[in-house]
Amino acid sequence: MKLSKLEKNIFYILLTAFSLYFLLPFVWMILTALKSEAEAYTFPPKFFPSVWHFDNFKAAWNSQPFGTYLANSLIVAVLTTIGQIVSCSMVAYGFARFNFKGKKVLFTLLLCTMMLPWDVTAIPLYMEFKIFGWINTLKPLIVPAFFGSAYYIFLLHQSLTSIPRDFEEAAKIDGANEFQVFTRIFLPIMRPVLNLIGVLNIITVWNDYLGPLVFLNDRSKYTLALGLAAFKGVHTQQIVPTMAITVVMVIPPLIAFGFAQKYIIEGMSGAIKE
């Protein structure tokens, strides 16, 4: 159905209004981080600060070892992303391109694991990692990623099932083995979905609070999300430092999403294609 010019203008105005509505809390957070502590509690509240206190970010950052927290978060985000991409692509390729006994049953069991909330598995995982001696290290946050994620495997599986068999048959006629078919033919085809998985994993890991809370005890091992929660506990009555650190924390996911938005759309369209 073709819209008239007036209908399009109304549609754009509504979209702009909704965008401003959802952006307002983020803008308020940034402006609050730039106010003085007294001005943040002024009533009625002022939207813009009288004096822009950019030094609030430096003071809040230096109040705790946020540099260490940031380094830990980057290590976990990068290594888990590598683990998810490697493991999920291989598992999805096996389910999508090979026929073996019990394939449907195993894939169904894999999908059923998505219905299990993380809270149910937290205690068994803690007991397992304690036996391994991994508690209070970053290993419990990193190693499971190298065993794949059911949701990411499902996305890749849906993308791979839509590819004709002619691709791999032609490669095998030219003398390629299974590993070469996977790395040279299918990995480039899966690139949009792999980009999507990478971005989703980075955002998920970056904002993860429960995992670090359960497995980490030493502050030197804290991730940025856990460090921010501890920071809020210390500065319960100080809203400006809390807002300043929160602004810093949300910047990397926003940058990742902004650069990868095109790949996210391509990945989602490729994953749901029949």
Side-chain angles (χ1 to χ4, degrees):
M1 183 178 64
K2 190 174 182 180
L3 299 176
S4 65
K5 186 175 181 180
L6 177 61
E7 291 173 331
K8 287 183 178 179
N9 291 334
I10 295 175
F11 184 68
Y12 290 145
I13 291 173
L14 289 175
L15 288 179
T16 303
F18 276 111
S19 300
L20 292 175
Y21 173 78
F22 287 107
L23 283 174
L24 183 60
F26 182 71
V27 174
W28 181 262
M29 177 179 64
I30 296 175
L31 294 176
T32 303
L34 294 170
K35 297 177 181 178
S36 64
E37 195 69 36
E39 194 173 22
Y41 288 97
T42 302
F43 187 84
K46 296 175 62 177
F47 193 75
F48 293 100
S50 301
V51 179
W52 299 77
H53 296 273
F54 291 98
D55 56 331
N56 288 343
F57 292 96
K58 183 178 180 181
W61 186 264
N62 293 331
S63 63
Q64 288 194 21
F66 281 104
T68 301
Y69 302 161
L70 176 61
N72 292 335
S73 291
L74 290 174
I75 292 172
V76 174
V78 171
L79 292 182
T80 55
T81 301
I82 294 173
Q84 294 287 9
I85 289 175
V86 173
S87 59
C88 292
S89 60
M90 296 179 69
V91 174
Y93 177 74
F95 275 118
R97 311 307 294 188
F98 290 98
N99 292 317
F100 51 89
K101 189 175 181 180
K103 170 183 172 180
K104 292 184 178 179
V105 175
L106 289 175
F107 190 68
T108 302
L109 289 174
L110 175 69
L111 296 182
C112 287
T113 61
M114 289 194 293
M115 295 186 289
L116 292 174
W118 189 88
D119 311 65
V120 174
T121 61
I123 295 177
L125 284 174
Y126 184 89
M127 296 172 64
E128 178 184 354
F129 294 141
K130 187 175 182 181
I131 294 173
F132 293 160
W134 290 358
I135 300 299
N136 200 31
T137 69
L138 298 180
K139 293 178 183 178
L141 306 178
I142 298 173
V143 175
F146 286 84
F147 293 89
S149 167
Y151 177 64
Y152 299 153
I153 292 171
F154 173 73
L155 288 180
L156 287 166
H157 177 271
Q158 294 303 102
S159 176
L160 288 170
T161 52
S162 64
I163 301 173
R165 293 278 179 181
D166 299 344
F167 286 87
E168 54 207 280
E169 291 175 358
K172 290 178 181 179
I173 291 174
D174 291 337
N177 55 37
E178 289 293 348
F179 184 74
Q180 290 173 328
V181 171
F182 171 68
T183 55
R184 298 184 181 182
I185 305 298
F186 285 94
L187 275 184
I189 295 175
M190 290 189 288
R191 186 175 300 169
V193 187
L194 292 176
N195 288 327
L196 168 65
I197 289 173
V199 174
L200 292 179
N201 183 76
I202 289 173
I203 294 175
T204 301
V205 171
W206 192 265
N207 296 319
D208 183 26
Y209 169 71
L210 284 178
L213 179 65
V214 171
F215 301 123
L216 302 179
N217 303 320
D218 190 353
R219 282 183 175 269
S220 64
K221 302 293 193 306
Y222 278 11
T223 59
L224 200 54
L226 189 57
L228 175 61
F231 181 78
K232 288 180 179 178
V234 175
H235 298 80
T236 306
Q237 304 301 323
Q238 295 180 317
I239 190 174
V240 173
T242 302
M243 289 295 182
I245 295 300
T246 305
V247 170
V248 175
M249 183 175 176
V250 300
I251 289 176
L254 288 177
I255 294 175
F257 182 82
F259 278 107
Q261 189 173 14
K262 173 184 176 183
Y263 300 110
I264 292 175
I265 297 173
E266 291 179 359
M268 290 301 295
S269 62
I272 64 176
K273 188 183 297 182
E274 295 293 340

